[in-house]
Amino acid sequence: MIAGLLHQPSCPDLLAFLSSHLNSGRLVQLVGECEISYAGRAASHAEAGNYLVIVKPDGSIQVQGAKGVKPVNWQPRTDHISVSLEAGMVVLTAERNSPPEVVRVVCLDPHLAFAAEFSQEYGFVLSGSEAEMRRTLKQKPDAMEMGLKILEEELLTDVGGVDLFARDREGQLVVIELKRARATHEAVFQLDRYVKLTREQTGQQVRGLLVAPSITFSALERLQGLGLEFCEMTVLPVLEEDRQLSLFDF
């Protein structure tokens, strides 16, 4: 259901619109000339151009350019989204606490703003088994996080089997729990047990990463409260060995 729509909004009108609809459980889209900047584990800046900015009800954000399916910038979830007026322009700021990351969208010339209500959520299940998911992500760990190196697969512990055991690009150990359907409190409980045990056994700081196509809101709150992380994985990367040959490959 459409909750609001603005064509060629003025900066004050756009500020009021975004302030009303962001953080309200609605889907919000903004089309216009913008500048995009990111600061966190790395830094990037997208020069002024026409972009589609999508903020979903769970706080995740995508910035799409004119071509391709890969976003110019994105955050799988955010802890705080705000809008302000700076030098006469509307600025949308999306912040994430762990890891600390910030995406800033400066609206130079807004063309359209749209907000919609989604009355129902639909489940999503990745194709294939969790074993296939584990095998694929073991070979393509960058799909979860750039710089990850897998150390062990199905690592047995006293409290169960860790799907993937890795080290991030800063050298920190990472325990990874995989779910091919929506993650719930049970997945968070599992991951928390694995992380605590690994910390006890290694005496090191250990990150916990839950990878799934979606997560319930209450489970996400619990996950964040425990200092664990969520990676949204709706499409698995294609392995070279899985690519089907065409007529011209023979």
Side-chain angles (χ1 to χ4, degrees), residues 142-158:
D142 281 351
M144 298 178 284
E145 181 181 301
M146 292 299 296
L148 273 183
K149 292 185 178 180
I150 304 301
L151 305 176
E152 295 281 349
E153 177 187 5
E154 287 192 284
L155 178 64
L156 294 179
T157 72
D158 293 340

Side-chain angles (χ1 to χ4, degrees), residues 76-144:
R77 63 167 180 81
T78 51
D79 296 298
H80 182 65
I81 296 180
S82 62
V83 285
S84 60
L85 202 60
E86 299 180 15
M89 294 175 288
V90 174
V91 178
L92 186 153
T93 304
E95 300 176 79
R96 187 180 182 192
N97 295 334
S98 179
E101 296 178 304
V102 178
V103 173
R104 276 172 52 90
V105 179
V106 180
C107 306
L108 305 174
D109 184 15
H111 304 328
L112 178 115
F114 171 82
E117 301 266 6
F118 282 168
S119 58
Q120 183 176 355
E121 288 190 13
Y122 296 91
F124 184 91
V125 179
L126 283 167
S127 61
S129 64
E130 284 191 6
E132 292 170 327
M133 182 181 181
R134 185 171 58 246
R135 179 178 67 90
T136 300
L137 293 177
K138 178 186 177 183
Q139 296 183 54
K140 296 280 188 177
D142 281 351
M144 298 178 284

Side-chain angles (χ1 to χ4, degrees), residues 167-168 171-174 195 198-199 202-208:
R167 193 178 294 278
D168 67 20
Q172 193 166 349
L173 295 174
V174 186
V195 168
T198 306
R199 285 172 181 162
T202 64
Q204 299 182 39
Q205 288 295 317
V206 180
R207 292 173 52 202

Side-chain angles (χ1 to χ4, degrees), residues 5-249:
L5 180 65
L6 288 179
H7 289 277
Q8 301 294 336
S10 66
C11 285
D13 287 345
L14 179 61
L15 180 66
F17 181 91
L18 293 177
S19 298
S20 172
H21 293 292
L22 289 171
N23 302 306
S24 66
R26 297 185 181 116
L27 173 77
V28 177
Q29 297 186 6
L30 172 66
V31 179
E33 184 181 359
C34 305
E35 285 183 350
I36 317 297
S37 60
Y38 162 81
R41 296 192 175 190
S44 65
H45 179 79
E47 295 181 347
N50 289 321
Y51 297 100
L52 167 64
V53 181
I54 306 169
V55 182
K56 295 187 178 181
D58 63 355
S60 60
I61 181 171
Q62 292 185 31
V63 180
Q64 291 282 353
K67 296 180 179 179
V69 297
K70 186 176 180 179
V72 174
N73 215 315
W74 64 284
Q75 291 279 22
R77 63 167 180 81
T78 51
D79 296 298
H80 182 65
I81 296 180
S82 62
V83 285
S84 60
L85 202 60
E86 299 180 15
M89 294 175 288
V90 174
V91 178
L92 186 153
T93 304
E95 300 176 79
R96 187 180 182 192
N97 295 334
S98 179
E101 296 178 304
V102 178
V103 173
R104 276 172 52 90
V105 179
V106 180
C107 306
L108 305 174
D109 184 15
H111 304 328
L112 178 115
F114 171 82
E117 301 266 6
F118 282 168
S119 58
Q120 183 176 355
E121 288 190 13
Y122 296 91
F124 184 91
V125 179
L126 283 167
S127 61
S129 64
E130 284 191 6
E132 292 170 327
M133 182 181 181
R134 185 171 58 246
R135 179 178 67 90
T136 300
L137 293 177
K138 178 186 177 183
Q139 296 183 54
K140 296 280 188 177
D142 281 351
M144 298 178 284
E145 181 181 301
M146 292 299 296
L148 273 183
K149 292 185 178 180
I150 304 301
L151 305 176
E152 295 281 349
E153 177 187 5
E154 287 192 284
L155 178 64
L156 294 179
T157 72
D158 293 340
V159 294
V162 173
D163 286 324
L164 294 172
F165 187 52
R167 193 178 294 278
D168 67 20
R169 59 185 171 188
E170 296 178 1
Q172 193 166 349
L173 295 174
V174 186
V175 170
I176 303 170
E177 177 69 14
L178 306 176
K179 295 295 176 187
R180 58 189 289 269
R182 178 177 295 170
T184 63
H185 277 281
E186 177 59 29
V188 176
F189 176 68
Q190 274 184 304
L191 180 60
D192 187 44
R193 285 191 304 170
Y194 297 152
V195 168
K196 286 178 177 176
L197 180 65
T198 306
R199 285 172 181 162
E200 291 174 5
Q201 292 182 339
T202 64
Q204 299 182 39
Q205 288 295 317
V206 180
R207 292 173 52 202
L209 184 63
L210 177 57
V211 180
S214 62
I215 186 171
T216 65
F217 181 75
S218 59
L220 180 60
E221 282 193 321
R222 179 60 178 159
L223 187 83
Q224 294 171 349
L226 292 168
L228 306 174
E229 302 166 49
F230 175 66
C231 172
E232 183 181 7
M233 180 69 61
T234 55
V235 178
L236 290 175
V238 176
L239 298 179
E240 192 66 26
E241 63 192 68
D242 293 336
R243 186 176 68 86
Q244 297 211 359
L245 296 177
S246 71
L247 174 65
F248 303 101
D249 289 323

